[in-house]
Amino acid sequence: MVKNIRAIRGMNDILPDETPYWQSLEACVRKLLRGYGYGEIRLPIVEHTELFKRSIGEVTDIVEKEMYTFNDRNDESLTLRPEGTAGCVRAVIQQGLLGTPRRLWYSGPMFRYERPQKGRQRQFHQVGAEVFGIATPDIDAELILLSARLWRELGIADDVVLELNSIGSGEARARYRAALVDYLEARRERLDEDSQRRLQGNPLRILDSKNPDTQALLDDAPSLADYLDDESRADFARLCGLLDAAGLSYRVNPRLVRGLDYYNKTVFEWVTDRLGAQGTICAGGRYDGLVEQLGGKSTPGIGFAMGMERLVLLLSELASQGDAVEDGEADLYAVSVGEEAAAVALAAVERLRDALPDCRIVQHAGGGSFKSQMKKADKSGARLALIWGEDEVRAGTCAVKSLRDPGGQESVALGELPERIRAALAWR
RNA sequence: GUGGCCGUAGCUCAUCAGGUAGAGCACCGGAUUGUGGCUCCGGAGGUGGGGGGUUCGAGACCCCUCGGCCACCCCA
């Protein structure tokens, strides 16, 4: 007995049951981004490993332990992208797109080697938006308002909260970092094990520790807000003012920091409490130094990415407690009895498809008794069954039977079929 | 990488002091040899995740392993 081949852990199939959620979500996002003047950019899934090391940061968890890295046949180290910003920045530099402010978006799979759990898988999908060449906080506000509009259109606005912070310039962060380490170093014994480890590599991340004792310890720690540079402070105030003016509520979270090294100044997260431990559905921030760091001319940048799996999870969760609209796979199901009728039916259905291109017609295939064909017709969810037997073939007609409402069955000449069906389905 | 829970039919789950498995739904067929949904009758489908051990005998007990879920870490 051969062992079945399974999908890679954390790389899931998305089945026909779920794809409608994906399709409507994708359509909604696309329309929205178009409405704000963002252009789609399609990027490779594989890049040079070096790109991610230089952008995300050598000592981040993503680079240290979560990347799918392998050698190409010529021994170059390549990596399946763990996020989208790095590749997008690489592309705008390489393709010379930085002469003027640029609004872009992309979507597709990302890969991180992590233990799967609810809302987290090894292959997951993001839609990201990035803006290059605008340093002022009005664009920060635009991106946030754009995302807020999306939640409204998806009907999840009441289930998400915006968290906002400024982590300042690199220099400001370095000064704060030193102060924080001083404070925590003196109280090292009271830190949990994970945070003690973070004290070396990534002390800022201690700020969003989930450990309650650690959080309590932080109450008296120096505050990042007190260390901000003047420009970051002013821009953050301006951003808050813009959001206030637009009527968008938010929560300033002074302990919100982000795990990727390239962020500075504005950072934000949209979170929900309905998805278990992984509540962030969308997150982003400014990365003013990244373009230069990757070899382009100094250009400010800002962007966000949203996790499609998490959004789908939220959408389907909300849908299942509301009206679950069961839409079958077909509007019409065509059956026939006998070889001759099958040939007539096939040809007639093809003509019908010409006349009713938006109508979903499933033609029975695979044989079986008339009775079993009718069962399939019923299961398909079709409103009408189209039936061809000896009598119909001889008369040049088709029996149209209603499978739903009480309506019965009538014999229709082939030429009148499109019209009769249009009427029966109330088709546009 | 760490921890907790869990792997029995396609799906959801039973059973049992350890004596080689059962239901519901789904599927196929029949009652109705050209008419679905309801009802009734019948059928197919399992090496009980895999391996080893204890035992006369293991799906049940022990060990290992693989897989799943959730959580930590971290992140979308």
Side-chain angles (χ1 to χ4, degrees):
Chain A
M1 174 101 67
V2 186
K3 220 191 211 161
N4 284 340
I5 296 175
R6 301 179 47 91
I8 310 301
R9 181 204 293 262
M11 304 205 184
N12 299 331
D13 303 313
I14 301 170
L15 304 179
D17 273 359
E18 323 161 64
T19 46
Y21 289 111
W22 286 80
Q23 289 168 352
S24 67
L25 173 58
E26 286 159 1
C28 191
V29 170
R30 193 162 300 171
K31 188 172 147 237
L32 189 79
L33 286 159
R34 185 176 173 277
Y36 277 77
Y38 286 64
E40 183 184 4
I41 184 167
R42 301 201 178 193
L43 301 162
I45 287 172
V46 183
E47 299 271 5
H48 290 290
T49 302
E50 188 61 20
L51 173 65
F52 301 115
K53 287 191 174 171
R54 273 166 54 183
S55 56
I56 297 168
E58 292 267 8
V59 296
T60 57
D61 276 34
I62 290 181
V63 170
E64 277 183 339
K65 55 182 202 192
E66 294 177 3
M67 293 208 300
Y68 277 93
T69 296
F70 59 95
N71 276 8
D72 199 357
R73 287 173 183 268
N74 60 3
D75 271 346
E76 276 184 300
S77 180
L78 306 184
T79 294
L80 263 41
R81 63 182 184 193
E83 58 103 42
T85 301
C88 188
V89 171
R90 191 229 82 227
V92 295
I93 295 170
Q94 181 181 338
Q95 305 298 340
L97 301 182
L98 290 175
T100 170
R102 188 76 68 172
R103 291 171 166 86
L104 299 171
W105 71 274
Y106 57 81
S107 74
M110 309 291 165
F111 303 84
R112 290 183 202 169
Y113 188 89
E114 302 178 273
R115 285 290 283 268
Q117 71 185 72
K118 188 179 172 78
R120 167 190 295 158
Q121 35 282 128
R122 290 181 174 181
Q123 175 175 332
F124 60 105
H125 298 79
Q126 289 185 334
V127 169
E130 316 282 357
V131 179
F132 298 95
I134 301 177
T136 45
D138 47 359
I139 194 65
D140 305 32
E142 173 179 302
L143 279 166
I144 289 171
L145 291 170
L146 184 162
S147 55
R149 179 177 299 275
L150 179 61
W151 315 144
R152 265 180 272 134
E153 292 193 2
L154 293 172
I156 59 174
D158 293 340
D159 300 287
V160 295
V161 171
L162 174 63
E163 300 214 332
L164 199 58
N165 194 21
S166 175
I167 58 172
S169 67
E171 303 78 60
R173 216 157 46 253
R175 276 186 284 121
Y176 172 67
R177 182 185 157 126
L180 182 65
V181 170
D182 278 351
Y183 173 87
L184 292 173
E185 211 49 273
R187 296 155 181 81
R188 197 188 179 86
E189 323 72 47
R190 292 171 59 193
L191 279 177
D192 60 273
E193 203 177 315
D194 284 325
S195 293
Q196 291 191 9
R197 181 173 43 76
R198 282 183 288 217
L199 210 45
Q200 272 80 285
N202 223 335
L204 291 195
R205 298 223 51 95
I206 297 174
L207 291 180
D208 57 10
S209 165
K210 286 181 184 169
N211 186 303
D213 297 334
T214 300
Q215 279 298 327
L217 188 62
L218 286 167
D219 286 342
D220 297 319
S223 168
L224 176 53
D226 296 331
Y227 284 76
L228 287 188
D229 51 293
D230 291 343
E231 185 183 284
S232 294
R233 196 190 308 276
D235 283 354
F236 189 62
R238 177 69 183 148
L239 171 59
C240 292
L242 290 170
L243 296 179
D244 290 337
L248 186 70
S249 56
Y250 53 89
R251 208 160 67 84
V252 174
N253 176 358
R255 293 182 187 173
L256 176 64
V257 292
R258 311 227 1 98
L260 285 60
D261 281 359
Y262 55 63
Y263 285 117
N264 69 329
K265 297 176 89 175
T266 305
V267 294
F268 65 94
E269 275 188 20
W270 285 96
V271 297
T272 176
D273 57 9
R274 310 190 66 127
L275 293 182
Q278 307 305 321
T280 304
I281 56 164
C282 173
R286 196 164 260 291
Y287 46 85
D288 291 340
L290 182 57
V291 173
E292 191 171 18
Q293 192 180 319
L294 290 178
K297 66 174 184 193
S298 177
T299 306
I302 179 169
F304 67 72
M306 47 200 172
M308 302 301 272
E309 277 80 2
R310 292 180 186 179
L311 281 169
V312 167
L313 218 50
L314 192 53
L315 287 171
S316 57
E317 192 152 301
L318 262 33
S320 67
Q321 65 185 200
D323 51 325
V325 184
E326 285 285 329
D327 194 14
E329 67 206 26
D331 298 308
L332 266 43
Y333 196 100
V335 307
S336 61
V337 185
E339 269 183 37
E340 192 189 353
V344 170
L346 189 66
V349 167
E350 280 303 314
R351 263 176 271 125
L352 201 51
R353 295 186 199 279
D354 293 337
L356 302 171
D358 286 335
C359 189
R360 300 170 303 165
I361 311 174
V362 172
Q363 173 110 43
H364 180 81
S369 67
F370 183 54
K371 182 192 179 68
S372 73
Q373 291 186 47
M374 286 303 292
K375 279 191 177 183
K376 298 255 169 55
D378 184 52
K379 294 253 164 59
S380 77
R383 298 267 301 280
L384 302 173
L386 306 181
I387 303 165
W388 278 272
E390 274 180 44
D391 298 347
E392 285 76 13
V393 170
R394 203 177 312 118
T397 61
C398 168
V400 177
K401 173 172 174 130
S402 171
L403 297 173
R404 302 297 159 223
D405 334 295
Q409 178 172 332
E410 64 177 326
S411 186
V412 177
L414 290 188
E416 289 161 27
L417 208 46
E419 199 178 321
R420 294 291 307 121
I421 288 168
R422 220 190 310 260
L425 295 178
W427 203 257
R428 291 182 228 291

